Amino acid sequence: MKINKEYLKRLLLYLKPYWKRIVLSFIAMIIVGALTSLTAYLIKPVLDKIFIAKDKKMLILLPFAVMATYFFKGLFTYIQSYQTMYVAENVLFNIRNQIFKHIINLPIGFFEKFHTSELLSRVLNDTERLQYTIAKVMPEAIREFFTIVFLFIVIYTIDFKLALISTIVFPIAIYPIVKFGKDMKKLGRKRQISIANITTLIQESFFNIRLIKGFITEDKETEKFLKKSHEFLNINLKSFRISEITSPLMEFIGSLGIAFLIWFGGLLVFRGTISVGGFFSFMAGLFLLYRPFKTIAKASNSINSSVGAIERVFYILDTKPTQEIKPNGYVFDGVKDSIIFDHVSFTYDGTKYALKDINLKVEAKTIVAFVGESGGGKTTLMDLIPRFYDPTEGKILIDGIDIR
């Protein structure tokens, strides 16, 4: 799971104004992790003190302890979820506004390079995916990480040898997360591009519906859409296969370790090395470890898929305007004297000239008609006046003032 460090730093800047809420969320995550582990540990006194030792005092205290544990776990889970959602929604609000403001101020050439549907995908889909990662995926992964830490403390406290044996299986279980995570990152990028391509095709088809009807190309357009949809389907199915195989594989690897632990733990119970309550509390801790590892595995895949969205968002924000807007420029109030093209040349791609060494003077309050074949440069000439583009060479003067 690799993400450009510069992008990560910039993403953290969006989170910085909400650091208090993030700290509160982290505290809530730690408490939830600790309380989840406590539910496993409470099994030991429930079995040993109530059902085996028949301790009446514990019969009264432990049910209240269990209820209190789950009450506070639910409370702090709510606090954590609300805080992270609040931060994520505000980050989404800020990024979406910034990217729209940035795009709307870019020159016409940018909009010719990127199709409208692709820009829509970046403003809406990519930012939405980023918001989901911040609000849901990352907080759950961090919370489950704390849960894993506390559960390991519980199982090592109950029996060190059993815990040491159980730890061996977890590095093996981590391998699928690393392997499939790389694949999910690539598929995440392909998926976002595929969505943009489909959106582009739909928009072009609906916009040019008269041409499609006039030339009877409905079947051709349908075939093109089917091809793009099929590509998107294959990407989603492959992503689904990778995502869904992770959990069963981890389950199987975990079952091998659990089967051995039941056998070995049973021997320890027979020898009196560990109590019945201690063994069942230990096993409960192990079973509770499964969900956090499964969540982190899925989170890893989801975060890798989101890396492409993050890169696409910042790519747009990093696109620099090609035109310089001077803050102390003149306010245009109509042409008073003339418009002059002084040795103006222009090229779109830096190689082929659309206009070459144009010298022209148009007096105020006169009408001039430009006539010529398509592609002769008439539209380009007009686009230079309102500065949709700037001349590659030369300058344009309105009332003797360079329009730049």
Side-chain angles (χ1 to χ4, degrees):
M1 179 174 53
K2 289 185 178 180
I3 179 172
N4 188 301
K5 290 183 179 179
E6 187 62 32
Y7 289 164
L8 185 59
K9 288 179 182 177
R10 290 168 64 179
L11 191 59
L12 291 175
L13 289 176
Y14 288 100
L15 298 172
K16 189 176 179 181
Y18 312 101
W19 69 269
K20 291 181 180 179
R21 290 181 179 273
I22 294 171
V23 170
L24 178 59
S25 179
F26 263 84
I27 293 171
M29 289 178 192
I30 294 170
I31 294 173
V32 170
L35 291 173
T36 302
S37 305
L38 183 60
T39 58
Y41 186 79
L42 284 173
I43 293 174
K44 183 177 185 296
V46 166
L47 288 175
D48 289 342
K49 299 295 183 182
I50 297 177
F51 292 101
I52 296 175
K54 301 186 188 317
D55 189 327
K56 291 183 179 180
K57 184 179 180 181
M58 286 297 177
L59 181 60
I60 297 171
L61 292 177
L62 285 174
F64 283 104
V66 171
M67 286 190 294
T69 299
Y70 278 97
F71 171 78
F72 284 107
K73 180 185 175 184
L75 175 63
F76 283 102
T77 299
Y78 166 76
I79 292 172
Q80 175 261 306
S81 299
Y82 177 77
Q83 296 302 325
T84 51
M85 183 60 73
Y86 180 93
V87 172
E89 288 294 337
N90 277 277
V91 169
L92 173 65
F93 174 81
N94 293 331
I95 290 180
R96 190 170 279 172
N97 288 340
Q98 184 183 359
I99 196 172
F100 179 81
K101 181 181 178 182
H102 184 74
I103 289 173
I104 208 72
N105 282 286
L106 289 173
I108 294 293
F110 173 83
F111 294 91
E112 294 177 349
K113 180 180 177 183
F114 291 94
H115 199 279
T116 304
S117 57
E118 185 176 356
L119 295 177
L120 281 171
S121 177
R122 300 202 181 194
V123 174
L124 299 176
N125 297 338
D126 289 347
T127 54
E128 191 73 32
R129 192 167 187 83
L130 182 59
Q131 181 266 349
Y132 176 75
T133 301
I134 296 172
K136 188 79 174 171
V137 178
M138 292 183 68
E140 283 190 356
I142 296 169
R143 185 179 66 206
E144 299 298 6
F145 169 77
F146 287 125
T147 301
I148 290 170
V149 171
F150 284 110
L151 282 172
F152 268 113
I153 292 172
V154 168
I155 64 174
Y156 270 93
T157 301
I158 293 170
D159 192 282
F160 185 82
K161 287 182 180 179
L162 271 178
L164 192 61
I165 294 169
S166 65
T167 305
I168 295 172
V169 77
F170 286 109
I172 302 172
I174 289 172
Y175 173 75
I177 302 176
V178 177
K179 172 66 176 68
F180 296 140
K182 293 178 181 178
D183 296 333
M184 287 298 293
K185 179 181 177 181
K186 295 176 183 177
L187 288 171
R189 287 199 186 100
K190 289 182 179 178
R191 187 177 183 277
Q192 296 301 109
I193 293 171
S194 183
I195 291 173
N197 289 338
I198 289 174
T199 308
T200 299
L201 182 59
I202 293 171
Q203 188 178 42
E204 287 179 346
S205 297
F206 291 168
F207 183 77
N208 297 307
I209 191 64
R210 291 180 178 273
L211 290 174
I212 292 170
K213 295 289 185 182
F215 289 95
I216 318 174
T217 58
E218 292 93 335
D219 291 341
K220 184 179 178 181
E221 293 300 316
T222 302
E223 186 179 342
K224 284 165 62 178
F225 182 79
L226 183 62
K227 183 180 178 181
K228 295 293 182 183
S229 294
H230 198 266
E231 290 175 1
F232 184 63
L233 174 64
N234 288 334
I235 292 171
N236 276 345
L237 289 177
K238 189 173 182 180
S239 176
F240 180 77
R241 284 198 300 270
I242 293 173
S243 178
E244 293 306 311
I245 195 63
T246 306
S247 295
L249 189 58
M250 287 182 65
E251 282 184 15
F252 175 71
I253 295 171
S255 69
L256 297 177
I258 289 170
F260 175 77
L261 287 171
I262 291 173
W263 172 78
F264 187 72
L267 290 178
L268 295 180
V269 172
F270 293 157
R271 295 172 186 170
T273 308
I274 185 173
S275 67
V276 174
F279 176 72
F280 277 98
S281 180
F282 180 89
M283 292 305 295
L286 278 185
F287 281 115
L288 285 174
L289 276 170
Y290 167 70
R291 183 175 177 272
F293 270 97
K294 180 181 177 181
T295 301
I296 290 175
K298 284 186 172 290
S300 175
N301 290 339
S302 183
I303 291 170
N304 276 300
S305 298
S306 301
V307 168
I310 295 170
E311 291 174 349
R312 283 158 59 89
V313 166
F314 282 122
Y315 176 82
I316 292 292
L317 290 174
D318 289 339
T319 303
K320 303 294 183 185
T322 55
Q323 294 173 311
E324 181 186 1
I325 306 298
K326 296 182 179 179
N328 58 342
Y330 292 92
V331 177
F332 180 70
D333 191 26
V335 180
K336 304 290 192 275
D337 180 44
S338 63
I339 299 175
I340 297 174
F341 285 73
D342 184 12
H343 297 284
V344 171
S345 298
F346 179 78
T347 172
Y348 286 100
D349 57 9
T351 56
K352 185 180 178 181
Y353 280 94
L355 299 172
K356 182 68 175 176
D357 198 27
I358 302 297
N359 289 286
L360 174 69
K361 181 177 182 180
V362 180
E363 299 290 345
K365 299 180 180 180
T366 60
I367 299 175
V368 177
F370 293 96
V371 182
E373 61 183 12
S374 179
K378 302 184 297 296
T379 302
T380 303
L381 194 71
M382 293 298 98
D383 285 347
L384 294 178
I385 297 173
R387 288 196 70 194
F388 290 160
Y389 305 96
D390 280 337
T392 306
E393 299 170 10
K395 57 186 177 179
I396 299 173
L397 307 173
I398 295 180
D399 297 338
I401 300 171
D402 192 325
I403 62 173
R404 287 175 289 193

